[in-house]
Amino acid sequence: MKDGVDVGILIYNELIRDQEIKKMVRGNIHLLVVKKDIPYPFVVYQRTELEAVYSKDRVVQDKVTMQIDCVSDSYSECVQLASWVRKNLDHMMKRGKLYIRLANAEEEASGYAFIQRLFFTIKINY
């Protein structure tokens, strides 16, 4: 990972590495777009905000907000999946340069699908 622009690659790698998540969603972890006929459950994620923090002459930190949606046709399965995602990402620290914290969570239903929407703040120090 070079900066806040490509942090989605890190998120994907962390989620697909977790065997519980991978098994539950059968590898269905997607960036932004989900095919129409994808079976439940699945995870879809996107970067919703990127803010560069500057010192006098350079960027010293990127602050990124990632939205991760856990989607299922079963409410309890949806909540369990969101809990696993949170457990995997919340309070992650990598080499003193990257910090991930859960910032917010909400839930909704759309048609016959339940959605647990998690928002993570990611700080990348340079």
Side-chain angles (χ1 to χ4, degrees):
M1 183 185 70
K2 294 175 245 157
D3 58 29
V5 175
D6 66 353
V7 73
I9 296 167
L10 170 87
I11 296 299
Y12 175 82
N13 288 336
E14 291 299 322
L15 294 178
I16 202 72
R17 188 175 302 146
D18 184 283
Q19 293 303 311
E20 293 293 334
I21 295 172
K22 186 177 179 180
K23 180 180 173 185
M24 182 177 228
V25 299
R26 297 170 307 284
N28 286 318
I29 300 171
H30 305 278
L31 174 62
L32 292 174
V33 179
V34 179
K35 293 180 181 176
K36 191 173 186 172
D37 297 327
I38 198 104
Y40 295 116
F42 60 86
V43 172
V44 61
Y45 65 98
Q46 66 180 335
R47 184 183 66 240
T48 60
E49 187 176 0
L50 170 60
E51 176 188 353
V53 178
Y54 293 88
S55 69
K56 288 182 179 181
D57 60 349
R58 66 183 182 95
V59 175
V60 294
Q61 183 183 74
D62 278 343
K63 291 182 183 178
V64 179
T65 302
M66 291 294 292
Q67 173 183 320
I68 302 176
D69 292 347
C70 301
V71 184
S72 179
D73 57 355
S74 160
Y75 180 77
S76 61
E77 183 177 61
C78 187
V79 169
Q80 182 180 24
L81 178 57
S83 293
W84 284 337
V85 168
R86 179 182 183 186
K87 178 183 169 194
N88 196 310
L89 295 177
D90 200 15
H91 297 288
M92 178 188 291
M93 225 181 336
K94 291 228 180 230
R95 291 180 230 114
K97 293 182 70 170
L98 179 126
Y99 305 90
I100 301 178
R101 300 287 184 265
L102 180 67
N104 194 11
E106 53 190 48
E107 62 184 4
E108 68 177 83
S110 177
Y112 295 102
F114 296 97
I115 304 167
Q116 292 291 320
R117 184 163 288 137
L118 307 174
F119 295 91
F120 289 90
T121 299
I122 303 166
K123 294 180 180 179
I124 305 161
N125 297 314
Y126 302 110

